[in-house]
Amino acid sequence: MKLVPGSIKGRLLFWLFSFASLLLISLGFFLDNEIGDIVISSVDDLLHSQTQLIVGLLHEEHGGIELELSEIIAGEYSIPRSGHYYKVLINGEPAAISPSLVNSEFNLATGEIVSSNEKSREKIYLSVGPDNEPVRVLQHDLDFMGQQVSIFTAESLRGSHNMINRFRYVLLIMIPLSILTGGLVSLWITSKSLDPLSIFSSKIEMITHKTLNERIDTEAEAGELIGIASSFNKMLERLQSAFDAEKRLIADASHELKTPLSVIKTKCDVLLQKDRTTEEYTEALNAIRNTSGTMKKIVDDMLSLARLDSGILSSGGFQKISIKSVLENAVQLMEVPADRTGVKINPLFRDEKDTDITGDQNTLTEAFLNVIENAVRYNKSGGTADISVSNDRGHVTVMIKDTGTGIRKDDMSRIFDRFYRSEDSRSVEGSGLGLSIAKTVIEAHGGSIRAESDADKGSCFTIVLPC
Amino acid sequence: MKLLIVEDEKDLALTLKKGLEENSFAVDVCYDGEEGLFMAENYPYDVLLLDIMLPKMDGLAILNTLRKKKIDIPVVMLTARGEVEDRIKGLNIGADDYIAKPFDFSELLARLRSVIRRSKGKPSPVIVIGDLTIDTNAREIRRGGRDIKLSAKEYNMLEYLALNKNRVIGRTELMEHIYESDGDPDSNIIDVYINYLRNKIDKDFAVQLIHTVRGAGYVLKEGK
């Protein structure tokens, strides 16, 4: 079991309560001690003043020492066992004894000496009085007219002890009561000061994936929570944009797949409305086959991206491969479609020095294939696609330059987005995923891809890979 | 009935055109939003089949513009996104119906017809004028307990007259709703078809239903 509780409330309560209790208990002990001292020192003061009084009354008469005690003999000192006593010895012989002592032989200096002062020749005893009560006794020795005088004054401690005890009782009741009150106050303070936290947490709880656009009003929060609230808002921001991107991706994917699907379905529905000629069936089936080919391409690309997203590409599985072999493979795969569209691929890299890079042959080939395919597709008949490579201090740069339709400025920032197809490109076959696959692959290899374009003159894709 | 398809997927648009034409619609097709809006504003269509994602101007913007200009042509939205919020947005700004891709062609037909009927204030698919009944779903005509066979153009004309029964329809209006906009048919063709219709519908009956209003056009109604 942990001594300190885990919750903030528990901790606050624990520490507040512990410190308050410790403080109160120490205060109790201190007060108890202090009150004892105060009471005892007031008794001592009294004893001193009585002694001084008696000393003042000593005088010489007829060559001997005379004590004129009639002035103080009255009152408390005359009542037997009153708790106020004195005794004066001259040369060891009792010279004056308060009537309260009852027995003139009673020895006041019997108990233990609690303090003694050699200089002022004083000793203080704790003794037992004639009434069996605890007494505090002050012995004061002095030489008077060459004679040894000892003055004993004593005060009963019964009253003082009663007073101290009464004070102790008060402390024993007051301190636990204060601790209890302190505990309750701590409880109230902690829950009160933690209120903003629970309000904050209930606000957070209200936010679900459907209300991600809501934000916590940082101004309204307690000072300590502003930081948390604004970090939380930033996290919501990121979550929302991730959610939105995901939603857009799903909507785009669904659009890209449902469109060809509805072409196929509508063609079948219309075809089946009535009997058709063989030519009509053949034409429709060809169209359906083409459309399903488009769908296959989209599905393949989506799966490629899903695989890439799942982190299948990691440098752990990379091998040393030649950049020229990757480009050669991609060009080979593109030659037939390029011929069909009348675009000439110029493999300028063949004359360049080969460079080894570390990576995954297949995915890199696919990435370059996608970029080259782009250069061929959005080209015009008789156009060219130049592929060159250069090596520069730890980097290999591949440039794929076409003479095609180019990319409009507004589209430039989005061409690598998934499923993004510019309005001009919609008529051209494609999944809208090729460039984002290329970008994902290149970036997984620690490289970068960028595009520059002059509308109507063509585009140039630059791919930089570390080697 | 004349219909405008605004759909950027050419293959789908042309297939729909073919299928709808086989079901007695005169169909115009546009592949982008701007052209679609222009056509919808300038030609009298009975219904508009509008894709949401379109180049240049999206379907929702077209619909919004049409409704702001108080053009209350019935609109059926077509979309592949299938997002509920898109659907609600479309219906809120004044779409009459909504169909998600991929759809059943017969369902699309039924919805288009129902939207047209509602827009003409005739919610029932069967229109009755005297003893003439026209089942617009099955495209079957009966008069006096007898089935009448009509050609596609004859049927289109009769259906348009029936949906607007008791209202005089000019030749131009008939032409606009029966022929595609890019065709250039002879204006006499309407009189020719009215003649064919009279032969098939009115000839053997005592009460004439198709009336000529001199200088104005034709009207389908009971009695004088």
Side-chain angles (χ1 to χ4, degrees), chain A residues 350-365:
Chain A
R350 283 182 185 154
D351 304 328
E352 302 287 337
K353 192 168 72 76
D354 196 7
T355 312
D356 276 344
I357 52 169
T358 50
D360 180 76
Q361 176 108 29
N362 288 338
T363 52
L364 271 179
T365 307

Side-chain angles (χ1 to χ4, degrees), chain A residues 371-388:
Chain A
V371 183
I372 299 169
E373 197 175 11
N374 213 63
V376 169
R377 275 222 183 107
Y378 301 102
N379 216 319
K380 44 185 176 272
S381 185
T384 56
D386 297 346
I387 307 168
S388 60

Side-chain angles (χ1 to χ4, degrees), chain A residues 265 267 269 273 276 280, chain B residues 15 18 22-23 104-105:
Chain A
K265 180 149 173 46
K267 269 200 191 304
D269 283 353
Q273 278 194 111
R276 309 278 177 183
E280 275 182 294
Chain B
T15 310
K18 178 184 159 96
E22 288 174 0
N23 281 279
D104 254 339
F105 184 71

Side-chain angles (χ1 to χ4, degrees), chain A residues 75-364:
Chain A
E76 290 160 328
Y77 287 109
S78 56
I79 302 162
R81 299 189 185 85
S82 66
H84 309 276
Y85 312 104
Y86 67 82
K87 189 173 182 181
V88 183
L89 300 177
I90 299 174
N91 294 330
E93 289 303 313
I97 294 161
S98 67
S100 54
L101 262 176
V102 185
N103 181 356
S104 63
E105 297 302 311
F106 194 86
N107 189 1
L108 281 168
T110 49
E112 58 164 321
I113 299 171
V114 283
S115 78
S116 96
N117 191 334
E118 291 296 324
K119 211 172 146 200
S120 58
R121 299 175 71 192
E122 282 180 357
K123 284 184 191 135
I124 291 173
Y125 301 86
L126 273 182
S127 302
V128 179
D131 197 23
N132 254 340
E133 78 270 44
V135 287
R136 204 162 166 94
V137 182
L138 174 70
Q139 179 186 357
H140 181 53
D141 296 334
L142 72 158
D143 294 328
F144 192 77
M145 299 174 60
Q147 301 195 55
Q148 193 69 36
V149 179
S150 289
I151 300 166
F152 293 91
T153 48
E155 285 291 323
S156 163
L157 290 176
R158 218 175 240 161
S160 313
H161 280 173
N162 278 347
M163 201 162 135
I164 292 171
N165 282 341
R166 251 212 353 258
F167 184 73
R168 261 188 200 148
Y169 283 131
V170 170
L171 281 185
L172 279 179
I173 292 167
M174 284 309 289
I175 289 184
L177 211 65
S178 310
I179 290 177
L180 191 72
T181 318
L184 289 173
V185 170
S186 312
L187 188 67
W188 183 76
I189 289 175
T190 46
S191 31
K192 203 76 197 148
S193 41
L194 288 176
D195 265 2
L197 201 63
S198 58
I199 293 170
F200 181 66
S201 97
S202 66
K203 276 186 204 160
I204 291 176
E205 237 162 74
M206 304 262 277
I207 296 174
T208 65
H209 69 284
K210 283 192 179 148
T211 54
L212 274 178
N213 55 340
E214 282 178 20
R215 293 287 176 272
I216 289 168
D217 182 8
T218 48
E219 302 290 304
E221 293 301 333
E224 290 81 354
L225 291 180
I226 290 176
I228 301 179
S230 74
S231 324
F232 189 79
N233 280 347
K234 276 180 207 146
M235 190 189 72
L236 277 179
E237 202 82 46
R238 288 196 297 273
L239 262 181
Q240 192 189 4
S241 73
F243 249 77
D244 286 351
E246 196 77 0
K247 237 163 89 181
R248 206 166 42 240
L249 191 68
I250 291 170
D252 288 346
S254 115
H255 179 265
E256 291 307 313
L257 284 174
K258 280 177 178 172
T259 302
L261 196 61
S262 50
V263 171
I264 292 175
K265 180 149 173 46
T266 307
K267 269 200 191 304
C268 293
D269 283 353
V270 169
L271 207 65
L272 288 169
Q273 278 194 111
K274 59 180 193 187
D275 286 339
R276 309 278 177 183
T277 62
T278 314
E279 286 76 30
E280 275 182 294
Y281 283 126
T282 313
E283 192 200 318
L285 282 174
N286 274 326
I288 288 171
R289 190 179 58 185
N290 286 342
T291 311
S292 32
T294 312
M295 282 187 82
K296 180 187 178 304
K297 168 83 177 136
I298 295 170
V299 171
D300 282 348
D301 283 353
M302 279 169 74
L303 290 176
S304 277
L305 266 179
R307 270 201 301 275
L308 289 171
D309 283 347
S310 73
I312 203 163
L313 270 190
S314 69
S315 48
F318 285 175
Q319 286 173 332
K320 240 185 186 358
I321 46 175
S322 113
I323 187 76
K324 276 171 93 167
S325 75
V326 170
L327 291 171
E328 200 62 63
N329 286 344
V331 168
Q332 243 172 32
L333 287 166
M334 228 21 239
E335 251 160 12
V336 176
D339 273 355
R340 212 183 304 139
T341 44
V343 175
K344 183 162 169 35
I345 299 178
N346 289 328
L348 304 174
F349 62 87
R350 283 182 185 154
D351 304 328
E352 302 287 337
K353 192 168 72 76
D354 196 7
T355 312
D356 276 344
I357 52 169
T358 50
D360 180 76
Q361 176 108 29
N362 288 338
T363 52
L364 271 179

